[in-house]
Amino acid sequence: GRNRSQSAKMPGGKRRRGGDERGADDAPRAEDIAKRIIEQYESIQDASVRRRVREIVHETWACEEPDGIGPEDDAGDAVLDAVRSFLKPKLPVNAHTKTEKIVFPKSGQFQGYEPHNTVNVDGFLYTEDDIDDLCEAGKMSRYYCDDPRCEYSQNVKLLNFVSQSFSKDELRALFQGILPDLTGKCVLDVGSRLGAALYGAHVFSRAAKICGVERDTTFAQLSLDTLKRFRMNDRCSVIAADIFTCKDLVAEADVVILHNVFEFFYDENERVKVWSLARELFSKPGQMLVLSPPFHEQTQGISLTFDWSEWVERVDIDVDDLEDQGFDREEAHLEDFELLRVLPREEH
């Protein structure tokens, strides 16, 4: 969970040369075209050539498409936008499923968050502009009434907005700025949910194997369907399981993503146990753990049974340098990321 600050229809058949009819179902899908574009772009090895391609695209579409592909908004965005459009109609606005169990923390950074004053808005599916549009359309509110006599009360407060997924800006920053080159590496996303980190890793990195582990079967199946639809299953996969039953997969991973994976899904006593299990599970020397929010925030309000500094060491993230590279500190929540490296076993 993260505290958040406050599709077009396919055209009908067109007559082709030769007089035959071609229906909408036979027309190239926008996502397929975008997929081919990103594959061609990512196959370019020379950084200067890649930069020139972005410049040409930007020069071509700058006037026609203000939000089009540009130096800071390459073809990967087109693929992710197509994925978002595909997923949005398949879930309610709060992106919860009937099979998902949510546990509201009683302590720590989310203390006081309850069902009546908190709404989940998936950060991958919905931008702040999207939320504004939903509020204007009456499909969502930013406020709640904190009074039993709500109809006659003026005791109105801002809702707490949380997200269980990375946004597109966060995914770009993670895979193109924060993490080192992932060519040939294995990336594991724990609690992959909709699969946002998988899609981001596919379009923004050259990781050889990208796997999500999601215990909610509805989310796992939806992710599998999406990977297949967008032909990302060449490098991506999803397993419907509890991460603590996947020891072999964890041992294979070079990078493990832990995006607040325990806080809204276990009570305080359970979280003490799962973090102890996590310490034993993620024990491959040199393995990189990506935490968002940072470890001390995810474990706030519980008493750990181990010294984390004997398990991992912090890897510096130069936020100022990332800003110089064009990543937005606020939009990408750069300061919410933490990189930890698992220490050699003999130092545990």
Side-chain angles (χ1 to χ4, degrees), residues 99 319 322 335:
T99 52
V319 174
L322 289 170
E335 293 177 341

Side-chain angles (χ1 to χ4, degrees), residues 167-218:
S167 68
K168 188 169 63 175
D169 288 327
E170 291 170 313
L171 292 170
R172 176 187 290 280
L174 176 59
F175 292 111
Q176 292 193 332
I178 295 172
L179 287 169
D181 180 20
L182 297 178
T183 301
K185 302 296 185 180
C186 176
V187 175
L188 172 63
D189 184 24
V190 179
S192 54
R193 247 178 114 75
L194 290 176
L198 310 183
Y199 316 136
H202 193 278
V203 300
F204 291 139
S205 85
R206 295 179 178 277
K209 182 175 182 178
I210 305 161
C211 186
V213 175
E214 173 55 55
R215 65 179 185 175
D216 184 278
T217 55
T218 304

Side-chain angles (χ1 to χ4, degrees), residues 275-276 278-279 282 289 291 294-297 299 303-315 338-343 347-348:
W275 273 111
S276 295
R279 185 205 178 192
F282 307 120
L289 308 182
L291 277 75
F295 181 79
H296 73 278
E297 292 186 23
T299 56
S303 299
L304 296 177
T305 58
F306 61 91
D307 182 350
W308 75 276
S309 65
E310 296 178 357
W311 169 38
V312 292
E313 62 180 357
R314 185 177 286 111
V315 179
E338 183 175 49
L339 273 187
L340 302 177
R341 182 187 294 115
V342 177
L343 294 169
E347 295 184 20
H348 284 191

Side-chain angles (χ1 to χ4, degrees), residues 310-336:
E310 296 178 357
W311 169 38
V312 292
E313 62 180 357
R314 185 177 286 111
V315 179
D316 181 58
I317 298 175
D318 192 333
V319 174
D320 292 333
D321 180 61
L322 289 170
E323 279 196 303
D324 291 341
Q325 294 179 47
F327 299 105
D328 189 288
R329 182 186 295 255
E330 299 299 327
E331 293 294 326
H333 295 95
L334 297 179
E335 293 177 341
D336 283 352

Side-chain angles (χ1 to χ4, degrees), residues 255-307:
V255 174
V256 178
I257 299 173
L258 300 170
H259 182 208
N260 207 7
V261 67
F262 302 136
E263 199 158 7
F264 273 85
F265 306 98
Y266 297 93
D267 65 29
E268 277 68 12
N269 291 330
E270 291 172 329
R271 281 166 54 209
V272 171
K273 295 177 182 177
V274 295
W275 273 111
S276 295
L277 292 172
R279 185 205 178 192
E280 299 302 318
L281 183 64
F282 307 120
S283 58
K284 176 183 175 181
Q287 192 172 59
M288 299 287 288
L289 308 182
V290 178
L291 277 75
S292 179
F295 181 79
H296 73 278
E297 292 186 23
Q298 293 199 36
T299 56
Q300 187 178 350
I302 62 174
S303 299
L304 296 177
T305 58
F306 61 91
D307 182 350

Side-chain angles (χ1 to χ4, degrees), residues 228-243:
K228 182 178 180 180
R229 172 70 179 268
F230 291 91
R231 301 176 186 175
M232 294 185 185
N233 51 357
D234 56 339
R235 291 187 287 141
C236 295
S237 61
V238 177
I239 298 173
D242 187 301
I243 188 61

